[in-house]
Amino acid sequence: MKDVVIIGAGVTGTSVAYNLSKYAGDFLVVEKHSDVCEETSKANSGICHGGYDAVPGSMKAKMNVEGNHMMEELAKELDFPYERIGTLVLCHKKEDFPKLQALYDQGIENGVGGMKIIYNEEILAMEPNVEKDVYAALLCEEAGIVDPFLMNIAYAEGSNLNGVDYKFNTEITKIEKIDDHYVLISQDGEEIETRAVVNAAGLYSDAIHNQLLNDNKFEVRARRGEYLLLDKATRGFVNHVLFNLPTEKGKGILVTPTIDGNTLIGPTSDFVDDKADTVTTQERIEEVIEKVEDTVENVPVRQVITSFSGNRAHESGGDFILEESQKGFFDCVGIESPGLTSAPAIGKYMANLVKESLGLAENKEFKPGRNPIPKTSEMETPAHNNLIKENPLYGKIICRCEKVTEGEIVDAINRPLGATTVDGVKRRVRATAGRCQGGFCLPSIIEILARELGVDEEEITKKGNNSYYIEKRAK
Ligand SMILES: Cc1cc2nc3c(=O)[nH]c(=O)nc-3n(C[C@H](O)[C@H](O)[C@H](O)COP(=O)(O)OP(=O)(O)OC[C@H]3O[C@@H](n4cnc5c(N)ncnc54)[C@H](O)[C@@H]3O)c2cc1C
């Protein structure tokens, strides 16, 4: 019997796992995909929000501000990229100024620090590409950007190093409560018995909850956001995260540098019926290109290298639901934006609820952190040369756009919860994430994955399931 099973290996589930590993117990994360970070946590703006736009007193406000305040230390502890570059909410017309002031006041009420209101000249000195008639802006210096993939992966690796098991390709299709414990049943009929369950199933957290608790049903709807990603040649086009004043549909089309130096524009906002549908459409891409011009001028759209979309898990109540809904059953429901920013606080909060309910003792062996993969493109030459002496694969560049070596790819595969797919390699070391999007290095990556995993190249997939690259030939 497990002590706790966490359903879902997104940033919420893995943060709960890392925080739970500070306590003694037998913990398991089950995930329906073949890797961590396969749904909403892989497709978002990567912003560490300040917390001025969440309703005061809500769980969103509390978790956002606390998560933001924890992010810098956590990024050092778990070694994932994070930069406090600040956000600017732009007010283009003088008559809208009261809305900006209200946002500032709300931020103060929520406990956000580092905010001030600035005006036209100061804005343009910081951001020369902003629309020239801009009236004022709310600057939040506490806000920043983070690598959403590596944050999720780092949480998973850190928890795994501290004893949490992971079981992939396992979809929980049924949950039963039997006496004082739960039985989780997978798509293959496998049964997992556990004292407690943490529901961190993102878009499907309503379905997991509603199986057990019929009298208090939740409804999570998918609200799709489509983006365009621009090449690193646009580095410096904007220096902060730029928003316009929020509307009832959310934070609108933003422009931001990514942590790796690309420029990201989007997202749109549309409810969709199929929660798994993350296509991008010509209509919405045109909308992004048109609307972004309200914020910045002369957007270098010819530098677009890819488009993608992610689905927000919107619960009808509009707030995060974080609670022990019945003895031993813990819900993380409606974790839409700012769920990434909030993950450190959500993980700590939920792990504490579980510890109190189950009476878990401290894990005296807990070791914070993980072993990062060396990033050779950012190393000084002497240090890189020393690494090459130890292992010549760190001198062989495979991905030319992002300058990723074979050594880094091998490391991404042969580590705790290592990559088994091409996307898994991409999210760990950025091979295929550059300008050519894998057009050049993909065959080499497939070859390395097959060699390291000891399988045929035909078995290698983009992202598990049936996403094969090579048609199987009769032998
Ligand atoms: C367009 C967009 C922009 C955003 N921008 C930001 C931002 O800039 N900053 C910010 O703070 N937040 C942002 N967010 C929100 C943030 O991305 C999410 O809140 C966060 O990633 C949610 O993580 P999660 O782990 O709860 O969900 P997910 O990442 O979706 O993880 C849930 C996991 O559960 C698994 N699962 C589901 N059902 C089952 C089952 N039955 N059995 C086994 N496994 C199951 C899924 O496969 C999935 O891996 C944005 C979201 C979107 C969509």
Side-chain angles (χ1 to χ4, degrees), residues 92-293:
H92 297 276
K93 295 188 195 116
K94 195 174 177 182
E95 60 264 33
D96 286 334
F97 186 77
K99 290 186 201 155
L100 196 73
Q101 182 66 49
L103 214 49
Y104 175 90
D105 295 343
Q106 188 165 273
I108 296 292
E109 198 177 341
N110 287 347
V112 182
M115 290 189 303
K116 65 176 173 177
I117 289 184
I118 59 174
Y119 294 89
N120 179 280
E121 278 182 16
E122 205 178 341
I123 300 168
L124 293 175
M126 291 163 86
E127 292 291 350
N129 291 310
V130 162
E131 171 275 309
K132 299 293 173 282
D133 292 333
V134 65
Y135 177 68
L138 170 62
L139 169 66
C140 178
E141 290 170 339
E142 275 192 352
I145 48 175
V146 63
D147 183 326
F149 313 138
L150 284 181
M151 180 177 169
N152 194 161
I153 289 165
Y155 263 138
E157 288 183 8
S159 64
N160 186 247
L161 287 168
N162 282 294
V164 179
D165 287 331
Y166 280 71
K167 202 165 165 33
F168 294 106
N169 302 308
T170 305
E171 178 173 10
I172 300 305
T173 52
K174 202 167 171 210
I175 306 178
E176 287 172 2
K177 176 139 176 53
I178 298 177
D179 303 329
D180 61 346
H181 70 278
Y182 294 87
V183 181
L184 308 186
I185 302 158
S186 77
Q187 80 279 15
D188 300 330
E190 188 189 349
E191 296 189 357
I192 306 168
E193 294 194 345
T194 178
R195 292 171 67 202
V197 179
V198 176
N199 169 17
L203 289 156
Y204 307 91
S205 54
D206 54 346
I208 297 286
H209 171 96
N210 294 346
Q211 284 207 28
L212 282 171
L213 292 127
N214 279 320
D215 50 346
N216 175 23
K217 287 197 172 190
F218 295 136
E219 187 195 14
V220 173
R221 293 179 67 200
R223 197 148 53 88
R224 190 162 67 212
E226 299 186 30
Y227 291 92
L228 291 173
L229 184 71
L230 277 56
D231 186 54
K232 283 179 173 175
T234 61
R235 191 190 284 267
F237 176 66
V238 293
N239 307 304
H240 300 77
V241 185
L242 304 183
F243 301 102
N244 290 320
L245 278 167
T247 66
E248 70 287 349
K249 283 183 100 183
K251 301 178 188 91
I253 303 293
L254 60 89
V255 193
T256 181
T258 69
I259 200 83
D260 295 289
N262 299 79
T263 303
L264 184 65
I265 58 177
T268 51
S269 179
D270 293 285
F271 281 109
V272 291
D273 292 332
D274 180 356
K275 293 181 179 185
D277 185 359
T278 51
V279 296
T280 53
T281 59
Q282 187 175 350
E283 199 187 347
R284 290 296 171 250
I285 284 172
E286 282 168 5
E287 181 188 321
V288 169
I289 292 171
E290 191 193 315
K291 286 197 178 156
V292 75
E293 293 283 341

Side-chain angles (χ1 to χ4, degrees), residues 15-87:
S15 171
V16 175
Y18 184 67
N19 281 282
L20 256 188
S21 71
K22 296 172 185 173
Y23 304 107
D26 188 354
F27 308 131
L28 172 72
V29 178
V30 285
E31 168 54 54
K32 70 177 172 191
H33 293 289
S34 61
D35 199 353
V36 306
C37 198
E38 279 289 346
E39 291 207 348
T40 308
S41 299
K42 73 168 183 192
N44 52 59
S45 311
I47 296 162
C48 181
H49 290 288
Y52 43 74
D53 49 4
V55 177
S58 63
M59 274 314 238
K60 271 188 184 169
K62 185 172 152 38
M63 294 295 135
N64 183 346
V65 175
E66 194 181 325
N68 175 302
H69 291 165
M70 292 166 76
M71 198 66 82
E72 191 161 17
E73 271 306 300
L74 186 79
K76 281 187 204 139
E77 177 177 317
L78 281 171
D79 202 276
F80 60 82
Y82 160 75
E83 241 180 285
R84 201 178 275 269
I85 62 171
T87 52

